[in-house]
Amino acid sequence: MTTTRTAPALETAKRVAAQVTDPEMPMLTLADLGVLRDVAVEDDAVTVTITPTYSGCPAMATMRDDLVHRLLDHGFDDVRVRVALTPAWSSDWISERGRQALRDHGLSAPGPAPAAGGPVPLTLRPTRRDLACPRCGSSATAVTSEFGPTACKAMYRCEDCLEPFEHVKEI
Ligand SMILES: [Zn+2]
């Protein structure tokens, strides 16, 4: 009776994988981040497909280890993590729940991603964005550094409440 065994196993694997969080933005699950692409169970082997976020984000190895360990902890003893590079991850894949979680933690969620496919403009000036301060909602914000503590975030300061905040970049 493989079907009766596989269906709950798939549900469990999906639930466990979806709850793994991003090591750099722990308020976001891999599901909310849009990194988790697919979970499949076949003959008791779990295959999780993930798509890396920002290139060069060292978080990927941690995500992979976390997925494997969490699934092993839930009784799966054959866990594989497959990395799918196409289609490329976009910050548009962050769910509405994920965006709310970012705001709840004082981070500014990414705006619409630039159109894919065309040449990527390379400029030394900071990208212009219309942001609202995640604390007070003011739109009087100024970029202080295009590279925050991690490459995927830019640093901003609110000119009304004067609080600095991090903005998760569009990609
Ligand atoms: Zn503010």
Side-chain angles (χ1 to χ4, degrees), residues 133 135-138 158 161:
C133 167
R135 287 184 177 81
C136 73
S138 167
C158 173
C161 72

Side-chain angles (χ1 to χ4, degrees), residues 14-23 25-36 53 63 67 70 89 93-95 97-99 101-102:
K14 279 184 172 171
R15 199 184 64 242
V16 171
Q19 286 168 353
V20 173
T21 53
D22 180 275
M25 293 183 278
M27 73 292 286
L28 290 184
T29 64
L30 298 192
D32 283 335
L33 195 56
V35 158
L36 189 64
T53 54
M63 288 182 191
L67 279 166
R70 293 281 289 279
W89 182 84
W93 293 4
I94 299 176
S95 70
R97 202 175 69 157
R99 290 165 193 276
L102 287 173

Side-chain angles (χ1 to χ4, degrees), residues 51-132:
T51 295
T53 54
Y54 304 88
S55 61
C57 231
M60 225 48 212
T62 310
M63 288 182 191
R64 182 195 286 260
D65 285 353
D66 286 352
L67 279 166
V68 170
H69 288 131
R70 293 281 289 279
L71 286 161
L72 292 176
D73 286 350
H74 281 79
F76 296 96
D77 38 42
D78 187 357
V79 180
R80 296 159 210 194
V81 177
R82 205 174 70 84
V83 176
L85 296 174
T86 48
W89 182 84
S90 159
S91 52
D92 287 349
W93 293 4
I94 299 176
S95 70
E96 202 40 57
R97 202 175 69 157
R99 290 165 193 276
Q100 189 57 51
L102 287 173
R103 290 189 285 265
D104 289 347
H105 286 79
L107 278 87
S108 160
V120 178
L122 206 60
T123 164
L124 295 175
R125 286 177 305 157
T127 313
R128 272 197 61 83
R129 305 179 181 96
D130 291 318
L131 299 186

Side-chain angles (χ1 to χ4, degrees), residues 132-138 140-141 157-163 165:
C133 167
R135 287 184 177 81
C136 73
S138 167
T141 59
R157 186 171 46 86
C158 173
E159 294 179 333
D160 279 328
C161 72
L162 304 177
E163 288 291 332
F165 64 90

